[in-house]
C-alpha cells in the first residue's frame, strides 16, 4: 500500500499529538497531515510520504507489523474507533512508542476514510521500563486506589476514559466525548460543571500543570475529587 497526499501539511499549535486523514482502500491516500504528526515520526514534511509508504515493511517494529495490518483490515470493515500502540523506528534509527486513536468513517461515495490522532508516548514507556514497573502493575495499583486516569486530546477536544468509567456512566465507545458532553452524561455535579470546563480551557491555553477540586457523581452520590493535570 502507498499513501498519496493531495494537499500540503498543516500547522497546528498547543498539542503534543499529530493528526492525519487518510483513505483506507486498495491504495492508501491522505489529504491532511499536521507538522506535529511529522515530528512525532522524526520526519520533515517532505519525508513523511516516503516514511508512511514504507512503514509496514521497514519502519514499524517487526513484532508490531502483524498487529497493525490487522487493525487496518478491521478499520476497512465498518465505521469504528480503535485505540492501539506500536513501536516505530525513525529515519535516524530511534525507536519511538506511538499511541494512536483512529476513527474510520464511511463517506457518501462509499470510500472509507480514517482520522488518526498519534501521540509519542516514548518517555512514558521508557520511564516505566527504568522503574521496572509494567503497565499491568500500574493498573493493579490504580485498581485498588481512588485514582482514575483519563486522557484529553487537545486537537480534537476529545476525552479518553477507562472502560469501567464508560460502562458505569453508560457512555458509548462509538462517539467522541468532549468535556461538555462528559458533564452532560452526569460525571460531574452541576455545581462543578463550570470549574470542570475551566480546567480544560487552562489546558488548551498551554498550561502544563494544575489542579482543581470538583464534585463528582459516583454511585448516585456526590463525592469530592481532586483533578490534576
Amino acid at each position: 500500500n502507498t499513501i498519496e497526499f493531495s494537499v500540503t501539511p498543516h500547522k497546528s499549535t498547543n498539542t503534543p499529538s499529530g493528526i492525519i486523514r487518510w483513505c483506507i482502500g486498495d491504495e492508501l491516500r491522505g489529504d491532511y497531515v499536521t507538522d506535529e504528526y511529522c515530528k512525532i515520526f522524526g520526519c520533515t514534511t517532505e519525508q513523511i510520504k516516503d516514511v508512511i509508504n514504507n512503514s509496514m515493511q521497514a519502519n514499524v517494529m517487526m513484532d508490531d507489523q502483524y498487529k497493525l495490518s490487522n487493525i487496518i483490515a478491521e478499520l476497512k470493515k465498518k465505521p469504528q474507533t480503535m485505540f492501539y500502540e506500536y513501536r516505530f523506528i525513525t529515519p535516524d534509527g530511534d525507536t519511538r512508542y506511538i499511541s494512536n486513536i483512529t476513527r474510520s468513517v464511511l463517506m457518501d461515495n462509499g470510500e472509507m476514510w480514517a482520522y488518526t490522532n498519534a501521540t509519542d508516548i516514548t518517555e512514558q514507556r521508557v520511564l516505566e521500563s527504568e522503574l521496572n514497573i509494567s503497565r499491568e502493575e500500574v493498573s493493579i495499583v490504580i485498581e485498588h486506589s481512588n485514582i482514575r486516569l483519563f486522557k484529553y486530546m487537545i486537537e480534537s477536544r476529545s476525552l479518553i476514559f477507562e472502560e469501567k468509567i464508560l460502562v458505569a456512566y453508560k457512555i458509548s465507545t462509538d462517539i467522541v466525548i468532549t468535556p461538555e458532553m462528559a458533564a452532560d452524561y452526569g460525571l460531574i455535579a452541576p455545581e462543578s460543571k463550570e470549574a470542570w470546563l475551566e480546567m480544560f480551557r487552562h489546558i488548551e491555553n498551554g498550561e502544563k500543570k494544575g489542579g482543581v477540586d470538583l464534585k463528582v457523581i459516583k454511585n448516585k452520590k456526590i463525592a469530592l475529587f481532586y483533578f490534576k493535570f
Side-chain angles (χ1 to χ4, degrees):
N1 285 339
T2 59
I3 187 163
E4 297 179 357
F5 291 101
S6 58
V7 298
T8 56
H10 293 255
K11 292 184 178 180
S12 59
T13 58
N14 264 349
T15 172
S17 303
I19 294 174
I20 186 172
R21 184 180 116 112
W22 48 290
C23 181
I24 317 172
D26 293 334
E27 293 294 324
L28 302 181
R29 68 181 190 274
D31 69 349
Y32 179 94
V33 63
T34 62
D35 285 348
E36 285 79 6
Y37 189 92
C38 302
K39 292 174 183 176
I40 286 172
F41 291 89
C43 302
T44 64
T45 53
E46 291 76 18
Q47 290 175 316
I48 194 66
K49 177 180 175 180
D50 289 337
V51 168
I52 295 176
N53 284 340
N54 297 315
S55 64
M56 296 301 292
Q57 292 76 27
N59 296 91
V60 173
M61 292 282 284
M62 184 67 69
D63 292 346
D64 295 336
Q65 288 183 15
Y66 181 73
K67 175 179 71 175
L68 206 54
S69 295
N70 283 342
I71 288 169
I72 293 175
E74 286 298 317
L75 288 167
K76 286 182 180 180
K77 293 180 181 178
K78 62 180 181 179
Q80 58 186 302
T81 300
M82 298 191 73
F83 304 83
Y84 51 100
E85 182 180 317
Y86 59 94
R87 291 159 298 172
F88 182 89
I89 302 173
T90 70
D92 292 334
D94 295 331
T95 299
R96 296 188 182 176
Y97 290 78
I98 309 297
S99 176
N100 272 12
I101 307 171
T102 297
R103 183 181 182 87
S104 55
V105 178
L106 185 62
M107 310 304 283
D108 291 340
N109 63 3
E111 290 184 334
M112 189 73 78
W113 281 76
Y115 298 80
T116 295
N117 190 311
T119 304
D120 184 351
I121 58 169
T122 305
E123 185 176 351
Q124 176 185 341
R125 293 292 175 256
V126 170
L127 180 60
E128 288 174 358
S129 177
E130 290 176 348
L131 294 176
N132 197 28
I133 299 177
S134 68
R135 276 171 283 173
E136 289 76 13
E137 290 172 316
V138 172
S139 297
I140 291 172
V141 172
I142 293 173
E143 181 70 29
H144 292 85
S145 72
N146 286 324
I147 298 174
R148 292 295 177 262
L149 300 178
F150 64 86
K151 183 184 289 187
Y152 181 53
M153 312 306 292
I154 299 174
E155 183 77 13
S156 60
R157 298 198 74 249
S158 58
L159 290 161
I160 304 170
F161 291 105
E162 297 170 287
E163 183 177 356
K164 58 186 171 185
I165 293 180
L166 298 176
V167 172
Y169 290 91
K170 299 180 180 179
I171 301 174
S172 172
T173 58
D174 295 329
I175 61 173
V176 175
I177 305 167
T178 64
E180 291 81 5
M181 291 174 63
D184 293 339
Y185 269 105
L187 276 75
I188 306 298
E191 56 267 38
S192 287
K193 181 176 179 179
E194 182 55 36
W196 163 261
L197 297 178
E198 181 67 19
M199 177 178 70
F200 292 101
R201 285 193 285 268
H202 286 305
I203 295 172
E204 290 164 3
N205 287 332
E207 295 188 25
K208 300 299 183 184
K209 62 173 73 175
V212 62
D213 288 314
L214 297 173
K215 292 181 179 179
V216 175
I217 300 174
K218 183 179 180 183
N219 299 326
K220 297 183 179 181
K221 296 180 181 180
I222 293 180
L224 187 65
F225 276 74
Y226 181 71
F227 285 76
K228 182 180 180 181
F229 65 87

